[in-house]
Amino acid sequence: MYSSFSSKKRIMNSSFNSKKRIRHSYFNELFQTRSSAKPRLLFAIAEEDDCVWSFFSTPQLENTYEKSSSTLVAAAEFHMKLSPDKLIGIYHSYDPRYFSIGYASGLIYMYGDRYMARPLICNPNTGRYVILPNRYTYRKAYSFFGFDPIDKQYKVLSMRYPSGPGHNKILTLGDGDLTWRKIKCPLPQPGIKSDGICINGVLYFLAVRVECSFEYVIVCFDVRSEKFTYIDVERICQLINYNGKLAVIYWEDDVDIYEICYYGKNLDDYLEKNLNVDATNELRVWVLEDVEKHEWSKYAYTWTDDTFFRRHVSIAGATASGEIVFSMRKYSSKQPFYVFYFNPERNTLQRVEIQGFGEAFKKTCSVRTFVNHVEDLDVNDLKQLKSVHPPLVKPEFYCLPESESDTDSEAESDSDSESDGQGDEEG
């Protein structure tokens, strides 16, 4: 089944070049169950035309080296179906300019369709959710979800479009009303290139520095102190949590398709036409060993496998034991759905068929997969998320004409209004 696995290469490099608790009225009864359950894979399945999301999970495979090379089968457990009001408009996209999704300590954050969207946070295990105040943004909808493990606080970070008006803002799920407040980014405004990932209280996302000939950087946002820093990075890549450390992972032939095809290029169409079905899988993993000195451990893996079709999978992340998980990006009731566990220490690939999503999905759906999902948030005083939220009031306008958004003074006027729970509109 497996052939042409190379041995891994490892290189050390010195440059890859007051506590507040969640007590808001809308977060009363936020769940907390002390759970001894093992980590699970969490699947968020989007029925894109109807803005309907379904959540499933399966036990995460452990000790893959003890398994046979044949395909294993895992049963999916259904958790909830989210069919929010059309005013929320959570349409899925793989392009981070138009859709944001994040996972932090057991909760999921989603935001899509900036014209009609309301950011939403849900607990996929309990079915509880909260809809956040309007966060109208100019042209793009960049936002990220993080958790501070010291003060036990969740925060949502919203970044403005680099060349547009408005402000970066942040919302803390804590005391008082849910409001977006301004936050300063002392560094030049970056162009966002990825979803965010939160590791030990630091939110990371990939961006380009517009002022430096569009060089790639990793933006680091400390959720507790709300301070920004940068780490230079050489190329387009994906960020993952690798045993509690930041890691970048990429295929050797990866390209920034949203830079090449700026106007709405479909990821699946691009891969279908441009990625050779027989392409060798050359995977690179760089693990950040020293944050201050920017020292990385570099690993390279090369393999071919007749059951692994790279253009059909995405990188979901890494398990606590170090296996890298790949998951299919699309689900159809007419064909099997697979996840793959790659064990770097033993150069083995284990395929697992996920059964139980059901036959109710009439169309092909998009799937987002998250590793290491657990119920236990290690927060003793969290209450359950309610399925109620501030009133869904349609904003007075969804999009400012370009002529109304050209000056800084007008931008200030449009973006200074803070939310009262019924809207925060920004031109």
Side-chain angles (χ1 to χ4, degrees):
M1 179 178 177
Y2 306 109
S3 63
S4 187
F5 270 102
S6 72
S7 60
K8 69 180 180 181
K9 296 179 285 186
R10 185 176 187 273
I11 308 169
M12 290 301 295
N13 183 24
S14 60
S15 63
F16 185 15
N17 310 334
S18 130
K19 298 186 179 180
K20 291 184 178 180
R21 304 297 186 188
I22 300 178
R23 291 191 290 263
H24 189 273
S25 59
Y26 301 122
F27 286 81
N28 289 341
E29 302 179 5
L30 177 63
F31 94 107
Q32 172 54 32
T33 55
R34 279 291 167 187
S35 172
S36 59
K38 295 180 180 179
R40 301 173 69 86
L41 292 182
L42 177 66
F43 303 96
I45 302 180
E47 300 175 65
E48 298 179 28
D49 292 343
D50 301 319
C51 298
V52 175
W53 290 78
S54 299
F55 293 87
F56 298 80
S57 72
T58 63
Q60 207 158 267
L61 191 63
E62 297 182 348
N63 301 322
T64 56
Y65 61 91
E66 295 179 355
K67 310 299 180 183
S68 67
S69 59
S70 61
T71 300
L72 304 177
V73 176
E77 176 185 350
F78 173 74
H79 291 293
M80 66 174 290
K81 176 172 285 189
L82 189 63
S83 303
D85 189 286
K86 288 294 184 181
L87 279 175
I88 303 172
I90 306 177
Y91 291 95
H92 175 268
S93 173
Y94 287 105
D95 189 336
R97 295 173 296 187
Y98 306 110
F99 173 74
S100 301
I101 187 167
Y103 176 93
S105 295
L107 302 184
I108 288 283
Y109 167 82
M110 294 187 293
Y111 179 40
D113 188 349
R114 66 187 180 86
Y115 295 106
M116 300 180 64
R118 295 286 294 270
L120 180 146
I121 296 173
C122 74
N123 180 337
N125 285 58
T126 65
R128 303 287 186 174
Y129 66 93
V130 65
I131 299 173
L132 304 182
N134 285 320
R135 173 65 175 128
Y136 182 84
T137 56
Y138 172 78
R139 300 189 68 176
K140 303 294 182 289
Y142 302 129
S143 57
F144 308 94
F145 188 47
F147 178 70
D148 168 22
I150 297 177
D151 284 349
K152 316 300 183 188
Q153 285 188 326
Y154 292 90
K155 296 183 181 181
V156 180
L157 174 66
S158 178
M159 303 291 289
R160 70 173 178 85
Y161 185 65
S163 60
H167 300 275
N168 302 316
K169 290 192 176 183
I170 192 166
L171 182 148
T172 301
L173 309 185
D175 293 328
D177 293 331
L178 288 174
T179 59
W180 291 101
R181 54 187 170 84
K182 297 176 187 177
I183 182 172
K184 292 184 177 180
C185 181
L187 306 167
Q189 191 72 18
I192 312 301
K193 288 292 182 178
S194 77
D195 292 318
I197 182 168
C198 192
I199 306 173
N200 299 325
V202 179
L203 185 60
Y204 301 95
F205 53 91
L206 186 69
V208 291
R209 298 181 67 171
V210 179
E211 83 285 1
C212 295
S213 300
F214 293 90
E215 295 178 356
Y216 292 102
V217 296
I218 297 171
V219 180
C220 315
F221 177 74
D222 188 291
V223 177
R224 188 179 188 217
S225 68
E226 300 183 355
K227 303 297 184 183
F228 289 89
T229 56
Y230 281 167
I231 299 175
D232 290 326
V233 68
E234 295 180 357
R235 52 164 297 152
I236 189 73
C237 57
Q238 183 174 331
L239 311 183
I240 64 171
N241 182 343
Y242 195 84
N243 292 326
K245 298 178 180 179
L246 174 67
V248 302
I249 186 168
Y250 60 91
W251 301 105
E252 185 61 32
D253 57 355
D254 270 352
V255 295
D256 186 350
I257 72 165
Y258 299 118
E259 185 67 26
I260 297 173
C261 311
Y262 189 79
Y263 294 103
K265 183 65 178 182
N266 181 277
L267 175 63
D268 297 295
D269 289 346
Y270 179 87
L271 293 176
E272 192 73 28
K273 296 176 182 178
N274 293 276
L275 183 61
N276 188 341
V277 68
D278 298 320
T280 300
N281 301 308
E282 299 181 30
L283 187 68
R284 304 291 183 263
V285 182
W286 293 30
V287 182
L288 184 61
E289 304 290 356
D290 190 309
V291 177
E292 299 297 328
K293 297 180 180 180
H294 295 183
E295 291 185 345
W296 301 78
S297 294
K298 299 182 181 181
Y299 305 87
Y301 310 97
T302 303
W303 78 88
T304 57
D305 185 283
D306 57 7
T307 68
F308 184 83
F309 299 100
R310 176 151 58 93
R311 63 185 178 186
H312 295 156
V313 303
S314 61
I315 300 169
T319 68
S321 55
E323 285 91 0
I324 298 170
V325 181
F326 305 92
S327 174
M328 292 181 66
R329 292 193 313 277
K330 297 290 184 179
Y331 168 69
S332 168
S333 59
K334 299 179 181 179
Q335 63 183 27
F337 183 90
Y338 297 108
V339 295
F340 299 83
Y341 292 80
F342 174 64
N343 188 313
E345 295 297 325
R346 293 171 174 79
N347 288 332
T348 58
L349 188 71
Q350 178 66 61
R351 185 171 72 166
V352 180
E353 181 181 348
I354 307 299
Q355 297 182 353
F357 289 160
E359 304 296 323
F361 298 102
K362 297 180 180 180
K363 299 180 180 180
T364 299
C365 301
S366 296
V367 182
R368 290 295 187 105
T369 305
F370 301 89
V371 299
N372 303 320
H373 172 57
V374 292
E375 281 189 289
D376 186 355
L377 306 187
D378 194 28
V379 181
N380 293 317
D381 63 348
L382 292 183
K383 304 295 176 70
Q384 281 191 337
L385 288 163
K386 287 187 174 181
S387 297
V388 297
H389 44 76
L392 289 180
V393 177
K394 184 176 180 179
E396 294 180 1
F397 57 87
Y398 288 153
C399 184
L400 286 176
E402 292 294 331
S403 60
E404 297 181 25
S405 305
D406 292 337
T407 67
D408 290 338
S409 61
E410 288 168 335
E412 288 286 337
S413 175
D414 288 326
S415 59
D416 283 351
S417 61
E418 293 296 334
S419 169
D420 59 0
Q422 299 187 20
D424 177 31
E425 300 164 352
E426 176 173 313

